Amino acid sequence: MTKRLYIETVGCQMNVLDSEMVVADLRKRGYELARDLAAADVILFNTCSVREQAENKTYSALGRLRSFKKQHPDKVIGVIGCMAQKDQQLVFSRAPYVDLVVGPGQLARIPELLDDIAGGKGPQIAVSLGRKDGPTADIKRSHETFDPLRDPTMRPTPFQAYLRIQIGCDKFCTYCIVPTTRGPEQGRPPEQIIAEARVLADQGCKEITLIGQTVNSYKYSSGGTTTRLSDLLVSLSQIDGIQRLKFVTNYPKDMTDDLLTAVRDLPKCSPYLHVPVQSGSNEILARMKRGYTVEDYREMLDRIRATIPDPAVTSDFIVGFCGETEDDFQKTYDLVAECRFKNSFIFKYSERPGTKDAELYADDVPFEVKNRRNNELLELQNRISEQDSQRFLGERVEVLVEGPSDRARHRGEDAGDIVQLTGRTPCDRIVVFDGNPRLIGEIISVAIYEVSPHTLFGAVVTQEAGQTLLSVG
Ligand code: SAM
Ligand code: SF4
């Protein structure tokens, strides 16, 4: 009998991709997707541990299922992903009605574990080895994932896909739980990556975003040859059908010239670089153990801007890190004003048990101060983003059309002749315009007539007569 699966995903691109894999794997074994919890036989939460708030949300969602599980004891509830790896048995202690706990490195075992639960073996757990739990090779193997299963129907759009090139992280920034939950850094073999990109191209995928925690540190050595990210980009550029290549997230210290030149010279490579700086204070960067100074970051940014014409550079920041003074924060504020990022993701520091920070420093910046710094930095970044967007007024941009905009979806207007559509430029700017849904999946030209900090508004360029743009949806 067909079983129904409901899956909820929070967190980063890695989790989005992991969910795609899990669904593809279970579909192969006869599962179908359910639209909601009530219709599902198996309910999975793919979780994030990077900030406490993400975990609290998952535990609240589990709490709401307590009585539901009493009424439906046959439904299987599973917690998978980073919080499963970090909390392990604690998940069962906090929510004793959970049946399944699976870390991100063990997702391939889900079908077998579901069979065990159905066979009456009780709650099941599969997690990877801890960073000190044995020989490195064993630890690495226990964190490996199963990427080749691709399911276009599980992606937000079938013509865009994430492709993991690197697992884990070895940087050990003192605030970060990722090296614990995702294990040691390992580059995937280039042959596997290229084969997977071909599968994606055959499925109609036009844009691939390569993902890794420090994607530009990617290296794979075999038979005396080392493949770097720049080499991979050259190989992937040769695949017919793939029209855009992006990669996230970059680590400032590993932004080498060969990579910047590849981005400049390969027409399929988007000039979009997400390179988080995290703080503008050298004291804070040292305590974060980021491995660079503000001066190093500035030098890197200068090289990016000297090599790539009109690059879109974005960053992450943590405000209210342990011991962050007003002076430290001012330095961060000044750096944002100076660097003029396309946009920045700003996070309030969240202490994570198991990290060096939690061991070494006190989480001593009051919540209200974190909040104020967060708002001030966000306000500055929004102003910069809006000013930056102005230069697109009257310009044409190339857009990969993703689908109906949020507004069109909410209004249920995604089936008519002309609807509000959304897509992205090669530099990752969001563009909204009216057009026929048959444009979805196409790369088209859009003339921009209005901008906001994070969105460009325009009209489809359908015909050109001399200097005049005729734009009809
Ligand atoms: N690997 C990427 C890098 O090195 O930038 C990002 C990984 S992390 C999942 C994404 C962002 O979350 C980080 O860049 C950082 O700004 C933020 N982050 C990580 N740990 C955090 C913590 N304990 N509290 C607040 N923000 C955190
Ligand atoms: Fe976390 Fe630092 Fe690794 Fe990024 S580089 S995943 S912030 S430890």
Side-chain angles (χ1 to χ4, degrees), residues 12-13 48-52 168-169 171 173-178 212-215 248-252 274-278 288 290 292 315-319 321 345-352 355 357:
C12 63
Q13 298 97 336
C48 172
S49 274
V50 170
R51 282 167 291 278
E52 191 184 6
C169 181
K171 303 293 189 211
C173 303
T174 54
Y175 51 81
C176 186
I177 196 70
V178 171
Q213 295 300 341
T214 56
V215 73
V248 288
T249 296
N250 293 282
Y251 188 65
H274 182 55
V275 207
V277 54
Q278 310 294 359
M288 287 177 165
R290 283 290 284 180
Y292 55 82
S315 180
D316 290 351
F317 288 91
I318 298 179
V319 293
F321 185 76
F345 298 96
I346 299 162
F347 305 104
K348 293 181 273 256
Y349 173 66
S350 164
E351 186 177 86
R352 306 290 45 229
T355 60
D357 271 2

Side-chain angles (χ1 to χ4, degrees), residues 286-301:
R287 238 176 295 146
M288 287 177 165
K289 212 166 137 305
R290 283 290 284 180
Y292 55 82
T293 59
V294 173
E295 291 71 30
D296 294 331
Y297 190 89
R298 222 176 249 135
E299 181 275 329
M300 178 214 66
L301 198 57

Side-chain angles (χ1 to χ4, degrees), residues 127-148:
V127 287
S128 302
L129 294 174
R131 298 277 316 208
K132 293 183 182 148
D133 286 351
T136 310
D138 292 354
I139 298 171
K140 282 188 169 176
R141 208 167 309 122
S142 81
H143 283 275
E144 270 172 14
T145 45
F146 62 127
D147 294 70

Side-chain angles (χ1 to χ4, degrees), residues 375-392:
N375 292 342
E376 283 180 20
L377 208 55
L378 202 58
E379 195 265 330
L380 170 64
Q381 179 60 61
N382 280 345
R383 233 181 313 134
I384 292 169
S385 300
E386 180 147 30
Q387 287 161 1
D388 179 55
S389 296
Q390 297 289 333
R391 65 199 165 92
F392 290 95

